[in-house]
């Protein structure tokens, strides 16, 4: 709107803003791209102001505006990264590849005030973990059972001959409630032989065991649970994504420009052929294919053959005519 404005002051303000942004960018680029950054700086600054520092590498580093730092956003993103990391750990336990979509990821949190962040950034988490749905667990026990393991070394040295009774009291506690207390960093109170003891989190090992159909990873009070059961629809999409990776790799080896359109030729086993047909529009959009033909590739095509997930494929591509 500044460029179309009839006001000279508006245009001057727009030019000033753009100029400042470009000069700042040259300084930020300096450590990683020293020659490009200095070329920008010479054109933007030295050509107009000979009294300025002789090089971008001799100029003052940009100063951050602390007023623009959003601490809540930083905390939310830290939580999102933490949950995504736990989700990937759960995937690894279940031996589910990232390209295989899953139905759901559910999370238990350390604090109730973190629920809003998960709800706000559910799409971001779902995209990172390749799941169809993200939600909060009603309780950690929904996806996992907890096992308490009193540590003899710590408790035995601390309580001596009282340890057997204390161990028995810990094992008799409600596992879920005790696990929640300990993983939140609070001591667990138990009674043995009429005496009350405060058991510290580092004195008991808490293990989460996934229930059937789930893969679970935990870190303190945080739990990620992924639904690992695969429907035919999810299996089909996973096969299509595996095929897509092969097609994209073939684009690279064919030395195509990133914007080049292609024609795809595919010979595949029955299950994979069905998956590609079902997701043909997605495959064509991602590979910039103007056509997808289930036929032997022409002699001029770049070709690759592969086997995965019990399926076989031969894919060829040619550059499409403009």
């Amino acid at each position: 709107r500044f460029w179309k404005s009839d006001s000279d002051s508006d245009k001057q303000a727009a030019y000033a803003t753009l100029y400042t942004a470009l000069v700042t960018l040259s300084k930020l680029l300096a450590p990683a791209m020293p020659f490009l950054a200095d070329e920008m700086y010479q054109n933007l600054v030295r050509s107009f102001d000979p009294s300025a520092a002789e090089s971008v590498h001799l100029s003052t580093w940009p100063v951050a505006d602390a007023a623009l730092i959003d601490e809540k956003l930083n905390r939310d993103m830290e939580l999102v990264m933490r949950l995504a990391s736990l989700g990937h750990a759960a995937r690894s336990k279940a031996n589910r590849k990232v390209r295989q979509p899953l139905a759901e990821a559910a999370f238990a949190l350390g604090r109730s005030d973190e629920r809003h962040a998960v709800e706000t950034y559910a799409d971001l988490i779902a995209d990172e973990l390749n799941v169809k749905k993200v939600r909060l667990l009603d309780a950690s026990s929904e996806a996992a059972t907890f096992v308490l393991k009193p540590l003899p070394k710590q408790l035995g040295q601390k309580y001596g001959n009282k340890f057997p009774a204390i161990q028995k009291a810990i094992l008799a506690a409600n596992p879920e409630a005790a696990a929640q207390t300990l993983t939140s960093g609070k001591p667990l109170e138990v009674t043995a032989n009429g005496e009350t003891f405060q058991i510290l989190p580092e004195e008991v090992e808490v293990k989460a065991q996934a229930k059937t159909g789930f893969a679970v990873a935990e870190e303190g009070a945080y739990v990620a649970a992924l639904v690992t059961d695969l429907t035919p629809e999810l299996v089909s999409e996973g096969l299509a994504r595996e095929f897509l990776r092969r097609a994209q790799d073939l684009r690279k080896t064919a030395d195509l420009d990133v914007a080049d359109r292609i024609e795809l030729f595919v010979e595949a086993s029955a299950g994979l052929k069905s998956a590609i047909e079902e997701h043909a529009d997605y495959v064509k959009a991602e590979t910039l294919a103007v056509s997808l033909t289930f036929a032997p590739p022409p002699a001029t095509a770049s070709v690759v053959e592969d086997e995965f997930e019990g399926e076989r494929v031969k894919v060829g591509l040619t550059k499409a005519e403009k």
Side-chain angles (χ1 to χ4, degrees):
R1 62 185 173 87
F2 287 127
W3 313 123
K4 295 179 181 179
S5 172
D6 292 331
S7 170
D8 288 339
S9 61
D10 282 349
K11 291 180 180 179
Q12 289 174 358
Y15 280 120
T17 300
L18 179 60
Y19 176 80
T20 301
L22 289 173
V23 172
T24 302
L25 178 62
S26 72
K27 294 178 180 181
L28 293 173
L29 288 174
M33 307 176 74
F35 298 108
L36 174 62
D38 202 46
E39 183 71 18
M40 290 177 62
Y41 178 84
Q42 296 299 325
N43 291 334
L44 290 166
V45 179
R46 287 282 293 172
S47 61
F48 294 102
D49 183 9
S51 64
E54 293 184 11
S55 168
V56 69
H57 306 293
L58 299 176
S59 61
T60 305
W61 188 255
V63 178
D65 185 351
L68 298 178
I69 298 174
D70 188 335
E71 292 296 346
K72 181 180 182 304
L73 181 60
N74 284 341
R75 290 193 300 272
D76 288 349
M77 288 301 102
E78 184 179 356
L79 175 64
V80 167
M81 290 189 291
R82 184 178 199 174
L83 297 182
S85 178
L86 282 175
H88 285 302
R91 256 191 185 275
S92 181
K93 286 184 179 180
N95 196 26
R96 292 283 191 259
K97 295 180 179 179
V98 176
R99 282 184 293 276
Q100 173 59 62
L102 299 178
E104 183 178 275
F107 300 96
L109 305 176
R111 304 197 311 270
S112 59
D113 61 356
E114 295 174 324
R115 297 175 66 91
H116 178 71
V118 176
E119 293 164 354
T120 301
Y121 300 105
D123 290 345
L124 183 60
I125 299 171
D127 184 64
E128 171 65 23
L129 294 179
N130 192 16
V131 297
K132 299 299 182 182
K133 179 183 177 183
V134 168
R135 68 176 178 89
L136 293 165
L137 287 168
D138 295 330
S140 300
S141 59
E142 179 186 343
T145 56
F146 291 91
V147 177
L148 305 179
K149 183 181 177 182
L151 299 175
K153 183 177 180 180
Q154 288 87 332
L155 291 171
Q157 289 180 353
K158 186 175 181 178
Y159 294 108
N161 60 7
K162 297 179 180 178
F163 168 65
I166 294 173
Q167 180 183 42
K168 186 176 180 180
I170 293 172
L171 295 176
N174 179 287
E176 181 188 353
Q180 186 175 3
T181 297
L182 292 167
T183 56
S184 63
K186 300 175 183 177
L188 175 67
E189 185 176 289
V190 299
T191 301
N193 295 331
E195 191 175 354
T196 300
F197 301 90
Q198 300 291 326
I199 307 302
L200 303 179
E202 59 269 23
E203 295 170 341
V204 180
E205 181 181 0
V206 180
K207 290 186 176 181
Q209 297 179 343
K211 291 185 177 179
T212 302
F214 288 93
V216 171
E218 77 281 355
E219 180 184 293
Y222 297 87
V223 177
L226 271 61
V227 175
T228 55
D229 291 338
L230 298 177
T231 64
E233 293 77 15
L234 290 173
V235 171
S236 176
E237 186 177 344
L239 287 174
R241 285 174 176 262
E242 289 287 354
F243 167 78
L244 177 62
R245 184 178 75 82
R246 274 73 180 177
Q248 296 287 44
D249 287 346
L250 184 58
R251 274 192 65 105
K252 296 176 184 176
T253 58
D255 198 27
L256 295 173
D257 186 81
V258 67
D260 284 343
R261 299 284 175 171
I262 63 170
E263 295 180 349
L264 273 176
F265 301 87
V266 180
E267 293 180 277
S269 51
L272 180 56
K273 182 175 184 286
S274 176
I276 297 170
E277 288 176 329
E278 185 178 347
H279 299 90
D281 290 342
Y282 168 70
V283 170
K284 289 166 66 177
E286 291 294 314
T287 58
L288 299 183
V290 297
S291 65
L292 196 166
T293 306
F294 290 94
T300 57
S302 299
V303 177
V304 68
E305 296 185 54
D306 202 358
E307 293 187 19
F308 55 89
E309 305 296 334
E311 303 286 346
R312 299 185 309 278
V313 67
K314 180 178 182 180
V315 55
L317 64 81
T318 60
K319 185 176 176 180
E321 295 296 331
K322 292 185 180 180

